[in-house]
Amino acid sequence: MSLDQNKIAEDLAQALRAIESASDLDGLKQVKIDYVGDKSPLAKANQALATVDQSLRAQFGKLVGAARAEVNQAFEQRSAKLSALRDSQMLLTEKVDVTLPGRRNLKGGLHPLTILTNEINDLFIGLGYKVAEGPELEAEWLNFDALNIPADHPARTMQDTFFVEPLESKLVLRTHTSPVQIRTMLNEKPPIYVICPGKTYRADELDATHTPVFHQVEGLVVDENITMGDLKGTLDFFAKSIFGDQVKTRLRPSFFPFTEPSAEVDVFFNGRWIEWGGCGMVNHKVLDACGVDTKKYSGFAFGMGLERTLMVKHGITDMHDIVEGDVRFSQSFGVGKK
Ligand code: PHE
């Protein structure tokens, strides 16, 4: 390859034009490959110096060296300019308004019903009780018969109970947590101290005070010398723990097939008596059906609705708020706030 002064001047001019016309750093990268790097015309001219006649080598060497130096300098200047341009654009497009309020990340939280359930479990665990659970799809026999609820009892009619097809399966959605009493007594020997929270079902329309799916908590004690005084003392402790020390309880005579005697338990809260749940001494017929020695043991049981407990405690007037799952409801209990 021979060298030519005009060609070198032309290569130089072309490289300078290309550098000048690169409008951003990406474009400049390609210009570097084409006009500055090892494969560029001027780099090739430099390599060709070796083949130039000895007498002309110094002259061409100077020429090519000066051209390459000029290209390098132009490249560095352009590169610095385009970097500065990119930085100032970035400052504009990525600017941060430090006066804007921060974005909140809400933490997940437990539903107030779950919080209440945990609270009740803890309370009774502290008294030496165990937490017992049973299935929501329950044998009709355990939900009714074993609890001394005869076949013609109104609680069994279609209006109250969700029967499960096929009807011969003899399964129902449990209407209360009391079948867990039976399951516990069939499986364990006294002394028995259990608390059973869980979902229960009744064929009610959802309105301000009813919901077809609700929660109860059941308590069962079977031991020697258990009296109604023990029941009253336990309910007092329970009520005070939930509603506060100033709360009073009273028992009103009532009827449940599985307890005898039976009572409604009321709490005096916020200046009035409010019905809270049912209770009584476990009926001998029920103890017998579960093989408990009634000469040695007696027991008490109680059951209350958790939605109702929550409504009374917090003055909630509409059941929809509890069941609809609007987080603003839970947040008013301090749930899920940062
Ligand atoms: N199971 C009863 C109900 O659902 C409540 C209850 C439980 C009553 C235990 C007495 C003893 O209404």
Side-chain angles (χ1 to χ4, degrees):
M1 181 183 168
S2 62
L3 285 176
D4 165 343
Q5 220 168 314
N6 289 337
K7 171 81 166 57
I8 292 168
E10 207 175 285
D11 287 346
L12 170 61
Q14 206 175 21
L16 293 178
R17 268 199 309 275
I19 289 169
E20 210 43 51
S21 62
S23 58
D24 57 27
L25 287 172
D26 278 344
L28 195 62
K29 209 184 260 172
Q30 189 57 46
V31 168
K32 184 174 185 179
I33 293 167
D34 294 341
Y35 297 99
V36 188
D38 288 345
K39 301 220 162 65
S40 65
L42 285 175
K44 281 185 184 149
N46 194 49
Q47 286 151 23
L49 285 174
T51 64
V52 169
D53 192 85
Q54 188 76 38
S55 61
L56 297 171
R57 198 174 288 166
Q59 184 199 337
F60 273 109
K62 248 190 202 163
L63 205 62
V64 174
R68 296 188 78 202
E70 198 176 335
V71 167
N72 278 332
Q73 198 190 9
F75 177 83
E76 291 308 329
Q77 278 173 2
R78 189 71 189 152
S79 177
K81 193 167 176 189
L82 290 176
S83 298
L85 199 68
R86 184 210 43 204
D87 290 350
S88 63
Q89 269 165 358
M90 218 137 69
L91 282 179
L92 275 182
T93 54
E94 295 177 13
K95 91 173 159 197
V96 173
D97 183 351
V98 292
T99 65
L100 282 176
R103 238 178 250 126
R104 277 189 188 209
N105 282 326
L106 288 182
K107 276 201 268 169
L110 299 176
H111 189 274
L113 267 180
T114 311
I115 295 173
L116 178 66
T117 305
N118 292 344
E119 208 179 304
I120 294 173
N121 287 348
D122 284 352
L123 219 97
F124 280 94
I125 287 169
L127 292 181
Y129 285 54
K130 283 198 286 193
V131 176
E133 282 180 321
E136 291 163 29
L137 189 59
E138 183 58 284
E140 205 175 330
W141 186 81
L142 291 165
N143 193 80
F144 294 124
D145 301 78
L147 286 161
N148 192 36
I149 304 176
D152 57 0
H153 194 280
R156 287 215 197 188
T157 62
M158 284 293 186
Q159 291 122 50
D160 285 320
T161 306
F162 285 114
F163 290 87
V164 175
E165 290 191 316
L167 291 182
E168 308 83 69
S169 70
K170 298 280 177 210
L171 290 172
V172 297
L173 288 177
R174 67 179 178 194
T175 58
H176 51 179
T177 42
S178 300
V180 185
Q181 290 185 29
I182 307 296
R183 288 179 170 273
T184 307
M185 287 189 283
L186 289 175
N187 285 324
E188 284 171 39
K189 300 249 159 297
I192 291 170
Y193 290 81
V194 290
I195 189 88
C196 164
K199 270 198 186 105
T200 47
Y201 301 81
R202 284 183 206 177
D204 282 322
E205 290 292 328
L206 176 64
D207 64 23
T209 51
H210 295 89
T211 162
V213 184
F214 58 108
H215 297 75
Q216 283 191 339
V217 63
E218 188 96 4
L220 172 72
V221 167
V222 181
D223 203 348
E224 293 178 36
N225 303 317
I226 294 297
T227 69
M228 210 114 179
D230 299 313
L231 171 60
K232 178 78 161 80
T234 305
L235 289 171
D236 275 350
F237 170 80
F238 185 13
K240 285 197 164 77
S241 307
I242 296 297
F243 298 105
D245 273 343
Q246 74 293 347
V247 85
K248 281 192 255 193
T249 64
R250 95 181 157 191
L251 299 184
R252 260 185 307 117
S254 185
F255 175 78
F256 297 101
F258 37 94
T259 46
E260 182 59 37
S262 302
E264 305 284 341
V265 51
D266 298 341
V267 288
F268 191 77
F269 185 66
N270 283 344
R272 61 196 177 106
W273 285 105
I274 299 160
E275 193 180 309
W276 187 29
C279 65
M281 301 306 289
V282 183
N283 194 321
H284 275 209
K285 284 191 195 170
V286 173
L287 294 174
D288 282 338
C290 296
V292 174
D293 178 357
T294 50
K295 282 198 223 54
K296 195 169 174 198
Y297 297 108
S298 54
F300 67 71
F302 57 85
M304 18 289 249
L306 292 181
E307 282 79 0
R308 183 164 176 77
T309 305
L310 208 60
M311 287 174 101
V312 171
K313 179 172 176 177
H314 297 286
I316 300 161
T317 49
D318 193 346
M319 183 69 82
H320 291 90
D321 288 338
I322 298 182
V323 304
E324 276 172 359
D326 188 326
V327 290
R328 288 170 299 180
F329 172 72
S330 297
Q331 280 166 352
S332 70
F333 288 81
V335 171
K337 280 197 187 140
K338 251 198 160 172

